[in-house]
Each structure stands twice: as C-alpha cells, then as structure tokens.
Amino acid sequence: MSSYDSQGLAILGAVYLVGFLVAVAIYVIGSIFMMKIFEKAGVQGKWRAWIPVYNSMVFLKLGDLSPWLFLYAIGATIVLGWIPVIGQVLGLASFALMTLAAYRIGLKLGKTPAWVVLYALGIITAGITSLIWLGINAFDKSRWNPQIPASPWVGNAFFADRTAWDGIPVQPSAQVAPGAAPGYGAAPQGYAPPQGYGPPQGYQQPAPGYQQPAAPGYQPPAAPGYQPPAGPATPPAGPVTPPAAPSTPPAAPATPPAAPTTPPATPPAPPAAPPAPPTQPPA
C-alpha cells in the first residue's frame, strides 16, 4: 500500500470519527432538551429521554399522536428502505409525524403555530433548527398546559393516541369527549381558558366559606329526588263555640245626693257683753 493510500484512509477515518462525535454530541444535547420538555409535561423518569426510539415515541405521545406510529415507520423503512424512492418517502413520513407532534407540544407550551416552522426547517438543516426549537422550549419560562382544543385527528383510530403508559400523564386534549362523533375535533374534557386569561384587575378571591348572597326572592332549586317534608294532615280544630257575651251590662251607680241649694239665711249673733266688775269691795 502506498503512502498516498495510507493518508487517504487516515483522512477518511478522521472524517468518520469527527462525524460520529458530532452525532453523539447532537444526540446528547437533544436528549437533554427532551428531558426538560418531558419534565414540564409531568413525565416521570428522566431516563425516558435518553433511550433511542423510545424518546421519540414519548414525544409523539405528548403531541397527541399514537406512539406506535414511529415503530411502524421504522419497520417499514427496514423492510422497504432498500427501494430508493420508497425509502425517502418513509423518511419524510417519519419527520412529518415528529413535526405534527412538535406543533401540538408547542401549543401546550404557549407557542403560536408559526413556531413549528423552526422545527420543520430541520429537514434541510440536518436537524440544527429542530435542535434549536427543542432548546427554546426546554429552557424558556413556558408552562405546560394540556387544556387546549383537541387535535384535528382526535377521532381517528390510527393517528390519535389511545395508549396509557405508567409515568406519563394522560393528555385531556387527546381524548374524545363522551358522545362526540368520531372524526370530529370535539372539545377536550375539562377545557380551561387559554393562557393569559385571568380575572379583571382589582378582583380579590373570596375568603374560604364565603357564600354569594342570593337575589331577592330567589329560591335555590331542590336536589334531584328531594321532596319537602309533609306538613300536618289536618290543622288543629278551633274552639267549638266561643264564650257567650254577658247578656246585660252591669247597672250604673245611683244618682249622688244633691248639693245644698242655698247657704243659711243669717249667721248666728255674737255673744252678749260680759257683766261689769264691782266698783267697791264688800264691807
């Protein structure tokens, strides 16, 4: 073997080594970003973000898609990937599923639908922009909100998530509301107002035990099956006959004696003058 061949093999080996190290670095960084997003979603166990293939299945599940779709795509790629056109189509289908999941996850993290474009550009940037999308959603101040309108495929038996795994919370927006027709995007159970909604300024939460006063004349509806207690069958009978009134009122007192009509005619005469004392004593 000539020296030129040896140098060519060395350069090729170095290229493969650098490519391998870059792939490992991208995988490690992406797993860290997924782990943070999984924590926001309430997924138990950080190890789920580090297992290849399985972390993508959990990602699809959080995006209201069946996690088995990713396995179907891998299986079809293994079987039919040797056909050039079909292999490329299957690869695009797998990326499209991940993009749909990213769209739903972005909505639950308070992002507008336009943010999914950053993830979708990863198809032409070798996944660099998709990694940036993961990093933004992993470390920003957004909070997970599963109470968003249901996905358009919520009633589809093939695409919608129907899988229950321990440690991964059930997403209400991925469930079909009772009585909803299959294939229609029914409102999720326990729907809550979107992020940013809140009470008006100055509003104070009422104290515990507070009861709102009822409107005048309002009577609360009775509980189902409630019957008011029965009153007495017959009211008590009153007195048969009222007491008889006195037949004759008591007689008035007799006429008082008449006062004297005239005073006495002449007042009595005063007494006579006393006798005069003697002038000389007796002899």
Side-chain angles (χ1 to χ4, degrees), residues 29-283:
I29 296 173
S31 298
I32 294 174
F33 292 167
M34 274 195 177
M35 182 181 65
K36 294 296 183 180
I37 293 177
F38 289 178
E39 288 180 358
K40 287 185 177 182
V43 176
Q44 299 177 5
K46 298 180 179 180
W47 57 269
R48 300 177 191 269
W50 294 91
I51 301 179
V53 179
Y54 179 71
N55 55 6
S56 298
M57 295 176 68
V58 176
F59 191 82
L60 287 183
K61 183 172 176 58
L62 295 179
D64 302 333
L65 284 165
S66 174
W68 306 109
L69 293 175
F70 197 75
L71 285 184
Y72 299 156
I74 292 179
T77 303
I78 294 174
V79 175
L80 303 175
W82 59 274
I83 304 176
V85 177
I86 295 181
Q88 294 175 0
V89 170
L90 292 175
L92 291 175
S94 301
F95 187 80
L97 290 174
M98 297 294 291
T99 303
L100 284 177
Y103 163 73
R104 295 291 298 174
I105 291 175
L107 293 180
K108 295 176 184 180
L109 290 174
K111 302 297 187 296
T112 59
W115 275 85
V116 76
V117 176
L118 184 62
Y119 188 94
L121 288 176
I123 193 68
I124 59 177
T125 60
I128 299 300
T129 56
S130 300
L131 197 65
I132 295 174
W133 182 93
L134 288 172
I136 292 174
N137 286 280
F139 292 100
D140 64 359
K141 295 182 179 180
S142 60
R143 296 293 180 267
W144 188 261
N145 176 28
Q147 307 294 352
I148 61 175
S151 61
W153 56 85
V154 66
N156 188 286
F158 183 74
F159 288 96
D161 179 26
R162 298 288 186 274
T163 307
W165 285 344
D166 292 337
I168 300 178
V170 177
Q171 305 300 311
S173 59
Q175 299 176 352
V176 180
Y184 289 86
Q189 298 178 2
Y191 175 75
Q195 290 183 343
Y197 174 83
Q201 295 182 356
Y203 174 79
Q204 296 181 355
Q205 189 73 15
Y210 170 78
Q211 295 182 356
Q212 185 176 2
Y218 169 77
Q219 295 183 356
Y226 170 78
Q227 294 182 358
T234 306
V240 179
T241 305
S247 57
T248 306
T255 305
T261 56
T262 55
T266 305
T279 59
Q280 295 180 357

